[in-house]
C-alpha cells in the first residue's frame, strides 16, 4: 500500500458466493459472511476493521477472523 501511495484500502464483498469468483474479504480474514454486504477496511495507521451485516453474525466473525475489530 505504501508503494502505491494508499493510506486506506476498502475490500468489499456482496455476499453472493460463487466458486468461480474470488471472495477477497474471506481470503484476507478467514471469515465467510452470510449477509448481504461485508467490508474490510485496511489502514496503514490503524488496525483492520471488518464491517458486516447482519449484526447478529458479529460474534461468529470475531471468533473466526484473525482481526478483533468487527462492527
Amino acid at each position: 500500500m505504501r508503494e502505491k501511495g494508499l493510506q486506506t484500502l476498502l475490500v468489499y464483498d456482496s455476499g453472493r458466493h460463487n466458486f468461480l469468483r474470488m471472495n477477497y474479504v474471506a481470503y484476507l480474514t478467514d471469515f465467510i459472511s452470510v449477509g448481504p454486504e461485508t467490508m474490510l477496511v485496511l489502514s496503514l495507521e490503524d488496525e483492520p476493521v471488518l464491517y458486516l451485516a447482519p449484526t447478529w453474525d458479529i460474534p461468529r466473525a470475531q471468533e473466526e477472523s484473525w482481526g478483533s475489530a468487527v462492527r
Side-chain angles (χ1 to χ4, degrees):
M1 288 173 51
R2 274 189 186 82
E3 215 173 84
K4 298 288 185 182
L6 300 173
Q7 293 295 316
T8 306
L9 182 66
L10 304 176
V11 184
Y12 175 80
D13 183 61
S14 67
R16 292 185 170 188
H17 302 292
N18 182 338
F19 289 107
L20 301 175
R21 183 180 59 87
M22 179 70 177
N23 180 337
Y24 296 104
V25 173
Y27 178 78
L28 293 170
T29 64
D30 291 332
F31 173 72
I32 297 175
S33 176
V34 296
E37 299 175 319
T38 307
M39 182 173 297
L40 176 64
V41 179
L42 296 169
S43 170
L44 286 177
E45 306 299 324
D46 301 313
E47 70 174 320
V49 179
L50 181 62
Y51 292 92
L52 60 100
T55 56
W56 54 258
D57 206 19
I58 289 174
R60 186 175 68 87
Q62 290 171 324
E63 183 179 309
E64 292 182 8
S65 69
W66 52 265
S68 60
V70 181
R71 298 184 175 97

